[in-house]
Amino acid sequence: MAGKVVDVTLRFVDKFTSDLDKATSRIERQSKQIKKFGKSMEKTGKDITKTGKNMTKYITAPVVAAGAASLKAGIQFEDSFAGVKKTVDATDKQLATLKKGIIDMSKEIPASTDAISGVAEAAGQLGIETDNILGFTRVMIDLGNSTNISAEDAASSLAKFANVTGMSQKDFDKLGSTIVDLGNNFATTESDIVNMATRLAGTGSQIGLSEGDIMGISTALSSVGIEAEMGGSAFSKLMGSMQLAVETNSKDLNGFAKVAGMTGKEFSKAFKDDAGGAITEFIKGLGDTEKNGESAVKVLDDMGIKEVRLRDTLLRASGASGVFSDAIKTGNQAWKE
C-alpha cells in the first residue's frame, strides 16, 4: 500500500515538474519576445524622431521661410507700386491693369517687380501716357538687360528725346530696336549713341531729320570718338547753319553746296527733301577735298567755320564719311523693321 502511494506521489511530482518546466520555457520565450519588441519600438521611436527633425529641417522650415519671403516680397511690391500710383494719373481699373502687367512682366524677363515698378514710376514722372507705360517700361528694362545703359537712364533720356522730337509714345519699341541694332553694328556703345542723340534731337527734328536719321548721325559721331558734350552742340550748330542758309538763300548756301558737289539750288532741294542725305554729302565732300588739291581746314576757314569744336568735329567726321551714310541707312532700316 505504501509503495503505491509513493509511485503516485512520484508521478505527480514528475508531471508537476514537467508542466513547470514548460511554463518556465514559455515565460522565457515571451520575455525574449517582449524585449525584442521593446527594442523594436525604441528603434521605431528614434526613426520617428529623426524623421520629424528632417521634416522640420527640409520641409517645414523651408516652407515657412518661403512663406515669409513671399509675404516680404508682396509687401515690397506694394510699397514700390505705391510710387507708381503717385506719379501715374490713372483710374482704379487702369492701376489694376498696370499691377497685373508688372507682375506678368517679372515672370517673362530677368527683372523684379520692384525694378519694373521703379521704371513705371519714372515713366509717370516723365509724362508717359498711362496706356503706354507698360510698353515703355518693357523697352527700358530690355535695354537695361541687353546694353550698357541702365533702364533708369534709358527711361529718362529716351522720354526726353521723344518729347523733343514729337515721337509717338507707341514707337518706343522701334526706338529701342534701332539703338540696339546700331550699337551691335558700329564701333560705339548704346549709351554713347543715346547721349549724343539727346543733344542732336532739338535741332535735328527742326530741320526734318527722322528718329532713324538722328540715331544714325549720333552713331557715326560717337564711332569716331566725338564726345557728346563737345560734338553734340557743335554738330547741332552746323545743322542750324545749313537750315538758315537754305531758308535765306544766303552766300553760305553756296559754300555748303560747293563742298557737297552741288549747285546752291540742288543742295537746297536735297536738304529740304532729305536733310540727313544732304548732311552726309557735305561730310563726304569735305573728306574728298584733299583729292581736289585743297585742305579741309582751308575749306572750313573759307566758309567762316573757325570755331575749334565745330572744326574738330567736322574734320573727324570727314575722315569717316562712309560711316555716316551706313549708320543713317542702318538707323532708318532698323526703325522700319
Side-chain angles (χ1 to χ4, degrees):
M1 184 67 179
K4 290 180 178 181
V5 172
V6 171
D7 289 338
V8 170
T9 301
L10 290 173
R11 286 199 299 273
F12 176 76
V13 170
D14 289 340
K15 186 175 184 307
F16 177 78
T17 301
S18 176
D19 291 342
L20 181 61
D21 288 341
K22 291 178 180 179
T24 300
S25 179
R26 284 199 299 272
I27 290 171
E28 288 176 350
R29 287 198 302 273
Q30 289 175 352
S31 177
K32 290 179 180 179
Q33 289 176 350
I34 289 171
K35 289 180 179 180
K36 185 178 180 180
F37 177 74
K39 290 180 179 180
S40 178
M41 287 298 292
E42 183 179 1
K43 182 177 182 300
T44 300
K46 290 179 179 178
D47 289 343
I48 291 173
T49 300
K50 183 179 179 181
T51 299
K53 289 180 178 178
N54 287 337
M55 288 183 70
T56 299
K57 180 178 180 181
Y58 296 111
I59 299 178
T60 306
V63 168
V64 171
S70 178
L71 178 61
K72 183 179 179 181
I75 294 173
Q76 287 178 337
F77 173 52
E78 289 299 329
D79 287 344
S80 61
F81 192 74
V84 179
K85 292 180 180 178
K86 287 188 293 185
T87 64
V88 178
D89 184 15
T91 64
D92 290 341
K93 184 178 180 180
Q94 287 174 317
L95 286 173
T97 300
L98 283 175
K99 179 180 284 189
K100 183 178 184 303
I102 290 171
I103 293 173
D104 291 343
M105 200 183 300
S106 70
K107 298 175 182 177
E108 299 171 2
I109 57 178
S112 67
T113 53
D114 285 352
I116 298 171
S117 294
V119 177
E121 179 181 351
Q125 292 175 325
L126 293 165
I128 303 300
E129 297 170 358
T130 302
D131 291 341
N132 297 320
I133 284 179
L134 287 177
F136 173 85
T137 301
R138 176 61 184 262
V139 172
M140 300 309 128
I141 293 291
D142 284 343
L143 282 173
N145 288 335
S146 61
T147 71
N148 72 325
I149 184 170
S150 70
E152 293 77 11
D153 289 342
S156 177
S157 297
L158 297 184
K160 293 172 183 176
F161 177 87
N163 289 337
V164 171
T165 60
M167 186 190 87
S168 169
Q169 292 187 359
K170 297 184 183 299
D171 287 339
F172 279 109
D173 57 337
K174 296 179 182 179
L175 185 62
S177 297
T178 300
I179 293 168
V180 171
D181 200 24
L182 288 166
N184 288 340
N185 289 286
F186 293 88
T188 185
T189 67
E190 294 82 4
S191 178
D192 288 338
I193 294 171
V194 170
N195 286 338
M196 184 70 77
T198 55
R199 287 168 171 79
L200 299 181
T203 305
S205 60
Q206 286 179 2
I207 68 172
L209 294 179
S210 68
E211 288 83 1
D213 288 335
I214 296 172
M215 287 296 167
I217 291 174
S218 299
T219 299
L221 291 172
S222 58
S223 291
V224 294
I226 298 173
E227 296 292 334
E229 291 77 6
M230 179 190 78
S233 58
F235 209 81
S236 290
K237 184 174 182 179
L238 171 71
M239 294 190 294
S241 297
M242 281 187 179
Q243 182 185 35
L244 183 62
V246 168
E247 289 181 351
T248 61
N249 196 28
S250 67
K251 63 177 183 178
D252 292 336
L253 175 61
N254 292 326
F256 289 121
K258 182 180 178 181
V259 174
M262 305 178 191
T263 64
K265 188 175 181 180
E266 288 172 340
F267 186 84
S268 180
K269 184 179 186 305
F271 189 84
K272 290 176 181 178
D273 292 344
D274 178 14
I279 292 170
T280 299
E281 288 302 314
F282 173 76
I283 297 295
K284 181 180 178 182
L286 191 62
D288 290 339
T289 54
E290 297 289 343
K291 298 177 183 177
N292 300 325
E294 291 186 279
S295 70
V297 174
K298 183 178 183 306
V299 169
L300 293 175
D301 192 66
D302 290 343
M303 291 179 65
I305 299 177
K306 300 180 180 181
E307 183 184 336
V308 176
R309 286 187 174 185
L310 178 54
R311 178 179 291 185
D312 183 61
T313 297
L314 291 175
L315 290 175
R316 289 200 201 185
S318 66
S321 58
V323 175
F324 268 78
S325 57
D326 289 345
I328 291 175
K329 181 180 178 181
T330 299
N332 283 302
Q333 189 64 34
W335 181 276
K336 292 176 183 177
E337 293 177 354

